[in-house]
Amino acid sequence: MKKKYFFLILCFFNIGFFSVFAQEKDFGHISGNFQTDAQYYIEDSKIGAAAVDEQFLINSYANFVYSLGKFSAGFRFEGYMNSLLGYPNMGGINNGVGIPYRWAAFNNENLEITVGNFYEQFGNGLILRAYEEKMLGVDNAFDGLRVKLNPYKGIYLKGLVGKQRYYWDDGDGIVRGFDGEIQINDLITSFSESDFRISLGGSFVSKYQKEENPVYNLPNNVGAGAGRLDLSYKGFNIVSEYAYKINDPSADNKYIYKPGQALLINTSYSKKGLGIILGTKWVDNMSFRSDRNASLTDLNINLLPEISKNHTYSLAAFYPYASQTNGEWGAKAEVMYRFARNTFLGGKYGTTVSVNYSRIHDIKRTSVNDTTPLWASGTMGYESSFFSIGKELYFQDINVEISKKWSPKLYTIVSYVNIFYNYNILRGASGYEDIKAHIGIIDATYKFTDNIALRGELQAMFTKQDEGDWGLLLLELSIPSWFFVVMDNWNYGNPDTDNRPHYLTAGFGFVKGGNRIQLTYGKQRAGVMCVGGVCRTVPASNGFALSISSTF
Amino acid sequence: MKKIIALTLLVFSFVIIYGQEVPQVQIKDINGKNVNTKSIVENNGKPVLVCFFATWCKPCIVELTAYNDLYPDWEEETGVKIIAISTDNARSTNRVAPFVNSRGWEFDVYLDANGDFKRAMNVVNEPHTFLIDGNGKVVWQHTSYLAGDEKKVYEMIKKTAEGKPLK
């Protein structure tokens, strides 16, 4: 491995060297970023924070990108010494230092060739999405070759072949994909000025993984196809995609032979001051990984986007939803409205209100025959009709948010969130009660001067299930380039009256240009963190946390 | 490991660093039309402010609301163009147009659903703002948003428009 890095750096060095001497004017440019998150752990049995052997854990990343005209190349250093607690690690597999991401690309306006590592998304990602989410430790980058071509105006083609990242190695399977998109308005000149826009797309993805199962006869190659149609007319917008996957027995679907399907339709209308969204999604057996035995966040080829709102306030995000790849039906609706300035409800500065609703169910399944139970391995598993909706409720979210500027000094956001959370399904557990929670949030910012502000967050969650009621108070003072935060997260309503801890934290940070540094000390509750379709469990912890990021 | 560090430093010493040009990446406009990032930062020799945001990112919204309130004055005085790049993924890409329109934001908004442009610009977290000069070079950047940051941003825009050094 060491030799590999050495060679890589040498290549970089040579490019730089070459450009300095071979060309008179343009020497190219290096840019990049740096990020490090470190934590010093203190054992705290009261909140269930375990002792950490290393005491101090640190995750670091640094990207370097060299570009010169149509050529660019880059690599990412990553170091986990050792991996932060709760980060995907599979018993230590992630610990270490290395360069798991390196690439070179040639980009002429109509042709782009990338070799090495790259990320990609076809359409809405129903059959292919490689992406990174450092917060969660998700990185399913391809390692291979990609060509993007724009052969004629309005026609966009992409082809790729590659293996996917699995911690410090590549996964077992080979993924091959093709995507084509036609933007009618650009293709047909007489349509170019039309308000009515049409875009058509189609993609095909196949994975190859050698079949070595002693029990079942599994396919070596699994193909999936998707078609999409996007329409827009003035403020109206429709995005739709349908995907189909042939039988793909895997650990996720208990090795059943049923093909998979997914449908996604999102519509919206908006004009100045008003936005309306309606959407639906239906998924049946659409887990798609480049290793049929992989689990958790590993080696996903696709990503099925959630339909529910992405909450960022701590207590509203306490019970977060994640897409159920084995099957789900969902619908959502949202209205955003801005009461204009100088109206009764708008006040002097206007008021923005948004109401959001989402509901997600299981799909309806019936037995293949009288003798085969549902999900029996080695069978078709079950039967389902297209767009069927099952009885079991997985998740529901009704929320209202009102943002209002009262004066040049005072700005508030008030929210109410009502959540139904099917604990057993969403946490892969059994024997837990479904959670019904009400959450109220007041977020107020008061500006003492142009650049000195105090922000306060008061959050409360009321629920009879799980750990009961929670409260949260946060105060954040910001002055030019600096901010100071104190927060108390209190489980005051835990049914176990001896176990009602305060999770107190305090910290400060400094920001200048593209650089940011933050140091906090305190306790963090155990929880589930979800970003972009996947979740991970974060254990309780106590101690110092330092985070530094820089873009250069 | 030492070798790697030494060589990385060497790379830096040999490659002369100056204002980065905006990389060429294909993203979509709010109606789904493919656009090249090089073309959207053109503004007839006037500065361009590129703001990375997401609809779920509260500080981003506060920042862009502040810019939007000041945009008419900034535009009149310096000719600056503001563009906002949404990094919302497929979960909320379709939420961007209604979100932006309902708030009445005046800037052009683009969709970077898989973070390709974000990655090319080495953004770690939203909000992150870049100032591009009339020659298409990145001359200044800023991460996070703290109250009153718009003053500093405008100071930089003004200097850039007047061709003055930023430091």
Side-chain angles (χ1 to χ4, degrees):
Chain A
M1 281 300 265
K2 279 272 156 61
K3 265 190 185 163
K4 209 162 120 188
Y5 304 143
F6 185 79
F7 174 73
L8 200 82
I9 307 284
L10 206 67
C11 286
F12 238 70
F13 165 77
N14 282 338
I15 293 160
F17 191 80
F18 175 78
S19 61
V20 170
F21 290 99
Q23 306 195 9
E24 283 178 24
K25 280 182 184 166
D26 197 348
F27 304 133
H29 178 81
I30 283 197
S31 64
N33 60 27
F34 171 77
Q35 186 187 353
T36 190
D37 296 297
Q39 189 158 3
Y40 178 79
Y41 294 89
I42 299 166
E43 188 179 359
D44 188 336
S45 54
K46 262 194 172 166
I47 59 166
V52 171
D53 286 346
E54 299 91 334
Q55 293 183 331
F56 186 73
L57 298 173
I58 178 165
N59 287 6
S60 310
Y61 317 90
N63 276 291
F64 297 91
V65 179
Y66 172 79
S67 49
L68 174 65
K70 292 170 179 170
F71 175 81
S72 56
F75 65 88
R76 180 168 61 230
F77 159 89
E78 294 185 18
Y80 306 89
M81 295 169 284
N82 279 334
S83 218
L84 286 175
L85 225 53
Y87 211 73
N89 200 356
M90 298 275 268
I93 190 175
N94 197 46
N95 297 336
V97 182
I99 298 180
Y101 181 82
R102 72 282 178 273
W103 56 276
F106 170 79
N107 190 349
N108 191 343
E109 288 211 352
N110 302 319
L111 173 70
E112 186 185 327
I113 299 169
T114 310
V115 294
N117 299 102
F118 56 88
Y119 299 96
E120 182 56 79
Q121 177 174 327
F122 289 172
N124 299 289
L126 297 186
I127 61 167
L128 186 134
R129 183 178 183 217
Y131 70 110
E132 57 171 333
E133 195 61 72
K134 286 278 165 291
M135 294 264 282
L136 289 170
V138 173
D139 188 344
N140 60 344
F142 285 110
D143 189 359
L145 168 77
R146 176 182 62 188
V147 179
K148 287 188 189 180
L149 190 65
N150 177 202
Y152 190 74
K153 55 183 186 178
I155 297 180
Y156 300 87
L157 307 173
K158 293 178 198 172
L160 65 85
V161 57
K163 290 191 158 203
Q164 288 187 286
R165 177 172 177 186
Y166 181 72
Y167 299 94
W168 297 100
D169 283 315
D170 287 338
D172 210 17
I174 301 172
V175 179
R176 296 143 307 185
F178 169 80
D179 182 73
E181 187 171 292
I182 303 171
Q183 303 211 334
I184 304 288
N185 300 63
D186 298 332
L187 180 68
I188 303 166
T189 323
S190 54
F191 271 120
S192 64
E193 295 302 314
S194 171
D195 286 331
F196 187 55
R197 287 196 60 85
I198 307 173
S199 160
L200 286 162
S203 42
F204 180 77
V205 175
S206 91
K207 65 158 173 175
Y208 167 79
Q209 185 187 18
K210 197 167 166 50
E211 186 252 325
E212 282 168 334
N213 194 297
V215 186
Y216 305 118
N217 181 17
L218 303 175
N220 283 318
N221 290 286
V222 174
R228 58 184 188 270
L229 172 66
D230 297 352
L231 304 169
S232 75
Y233 179 72
K234 293 185 175 169
F236 289 96
N237 232 306
I238 300 175
V239 173
S240 58
E241 185 164 6
Y242 169 78
Y244 182 87
K245 181 170 67 92
I246 70 157
N247 72 88
D248 178 20
S250 69
D252 279 334
N253 68 11
K254 303 182 174 68
Y255 295 93
I256 62 166
Y257 284 79
K258 191 180 190 300
Q261 292 184 91
L263 176 74
L264 180 73
I265 301 172
N266 276 318
T267 62
S268 71
Y269 170 74
S270 63
K271 61 174 193 178
K272 197 164 181 174
L274 174 70
I276 300 169
I277 300 168
L278 287 172
T280 188
K281 181 177 115 172
W282 187 80
V283 172
D284 179 9
N285 191 23
M286 273 302 280
S287 155
F288 195 24
R289 301 184 194 249
S290 57
D291 182 336
R292 60 176 77 86
N293 302 313
S295 60
L296 302 169
T297 56
D298 299 333
L299 296 167
N300 280 303
I301 301 174
N302 67 346
L303 182 89
L304 301 159
E306 287 104 339
I307 207 157
S308 62
K309 187 177 175 179
N310 185 9
H311 289 292
T312 44
Y313 286 113
S314 186
L315 293 185
F318 204 104
Y319 296 110
Y321 188 71
S323 287
Q324 299 301 303
T325 55
N326 277 344
E328 63 175 4
W329 165 86
K332 69 171 171 188
E334 183 165 4
V335 177
M336 298 176 244
Y337 185 76
R338 184 167 173 81
F339 292 97
R341 289 176 188 210
N342 300 318
T343 57
F344 177 65
L345 289 170
K348 193 176 171 189
Y349 300 93
T351 303
T352 306
V353 177
S354 85
V355 181
N356 171 284
Y357 173 76
S358 58
R359 186 176 175 95
I360 299 143
H361 278 245
D362 193 5
I363 61 169
K364 198 172 180 180
R365 299 184 182 83
T366 49
S367 309
V368 183
N369 55 44
D370 295 343
T371 53
T372 314
L374 290 176
W375 294 107
S377 300
T379 70
M380 287 298 279
Y382 59 88
E383 278 173 0
S384 61
S385 49
F386 184 70
F387 214 72
S388 67
I389 302 167
K391 278 203 180 114
E392 188 167 11
L393 178 61
Y394 282 178
F395 186 78
Q396 180 177 270
D397 178 2
I398 305 165
N399 60 77
V400 182
E401 184 176 287
I402 302 166
S403 319
K404 185 164 176 63
K405 186 173 168 179
W406 298 88
S407 74
K409 289 184 179 300
L410 183 67
Y411 175 76
T412 59
I413 304 172
V414 179
S415 314
Y416 166 75
V417 184
N418 182 314
I419 299 261
F420 174 93
Y421 182 86
N422 188 323
Y423 198 104
N424 295 326
I425 293 289
L426 298 173
R427 299 273 176 102
S430 61
Y432 286 88
E433 272 184 274
D434 291 335
I435 288 167
K436 290 167 197 152
H438 302 265
I439 300 127
I441 300 157
I442 299 168
D443 177 348
T445 305
Y446 186 80
K447 278 180 150 185
F448 295 101
T449 67
D450 273 351
N451 51 21
I452 299 177
L454 181 68
R455 191 173 75 84
E457 260 178 38
L458 181 65
Q459 304 183 26
M461 179 167 76
F462 307 100
T463 176
K464 293 197 169 66
Q465 295 84 32
D466 200 23
E467 297 167 325
D469 302 341
W470 283 79
L472 184 147
L473 178 70
L474 176 146
L475 291 173
E476 181 185 89
L477 176 72
S478 65
I479 59 171
S481 297
W482 292 87
F483 60 93
F484 305 86
V485 190
V486 286
M487 184 174 89
D488 183 21
N489 198 352
W490 182 24
N491 188 193
Y492 70 90
N494 198 311
D496 173 4
T497 49
D498 294 333
N499 184 22
R500 291 179 168 177
H502 284 272
Y503 295 78
L504 260 169
T505 41
F508 67 96
F510 175 73
V511 183
K512 191 167 179 9
N515 310 302
R516 186 176 195 277
I517 178 163
Q518 183 178 344
L519 181 70
T520 51
Y521 172 72
K523 298 175 185 182
Q524 197 188 343
R525 66 173 166 83
V528 177
M529 188 160 77
C530 299
V531 186
V534 284
C535 303
R536 74 175 166 99
T537 324
V538 185
S541 65
N542 182 13
F544 287 95
L546 173 71
S547 114
I548 304 170
S549 72
S550 174
T551 298
F552 51 84
Chain B
M1 190 58 216
K2 273 183 187 161
K3 277 183 191 162
I4 296 178
I5 293 168
L7 279 164
T8 311
L9 286 175
L10 264 175
V11 173
F12 274 99
S13 58
F14 272 99
V15 180
I16 297 170
I17 298 172
Y18 58 90
Q20 182 197 5
E21 278 192 24
V22 173
Q24 249 188 66
V25 180
Q26 189 184 292
I27 55 175
K28 288 190 185 285
D29 77 4
I30 212 153
N31 293 317
K33 182 183 161 70
N34 287 335
V35 292
N36 190 307
T37 48
K38 264 238 153 85
S39 65
I40 62 173
V41 296
E42 275 168 16
N43 187 26
N44 299 320
K46 301 276 170 55
V48 178
L49 196 67
V50 180
C51 309
F52 283 85
F53 81 106
T55 59
W56 45 262
C57 160
K58 288 274 166 357
C60 302
I61 308 315
V62 179
E63 178 186 40
L64 287 176
T65 306
Y67 292 171
N68 190 58
D69 289 347
L70 298 162
Y71 193 20
D73 297 336
W74 289 6
E75 200 177 15
E76 194 180 296
E77 283 163 46
T78 63
V80 69
K81 175 168 93 169
I82 300 182
I83 58 177
I85 313 289
S86 151
T87 59
D88 284 84
N89 65 20
R91 179 180 196 168
S92 48
T93 17
N94 83 307
R95 193 168 180 253
V96 179
F99 187 91
V100 165
N101 284 336
S102 66
R103 276 167 173 74
W105 289 354
E106 299 289 341
F107 7 90
D108 293 336
V109 177
Y110 298 90
L111 309 172
D112 183 24
N114 206 31
D116 295 332
F117 190 33
K118 176 181 170 179
R119 206 171 297 115
M121 295 295 281
N122 298 298
V123 171
V124 178
N125 286 314
E126 305 83 356
H128 198 119
T129 298
F130 293 92
L131 179 59
I132 320 288
D133 71 6
N135 301 316
K137 297 256 161 72
V138 178
V139 289
W140 186 75
Q141 58 170 308
H142 185 76
T143 185
S144 302
Y145 173 79
L146 300 177
D149 276 350
E150 55 274 18
K151 270 204 162 169
K152 179 82 182 162
V153 171
Y154 184 58
E155 190 190 312
M156 293 297 167
I157 294 172
K158 210 165 175 196
K159 280 185 181 170
T160 305
E162 290 164 355
K164 288 182 183 164
L166 295 184
K167 279 171 189 166

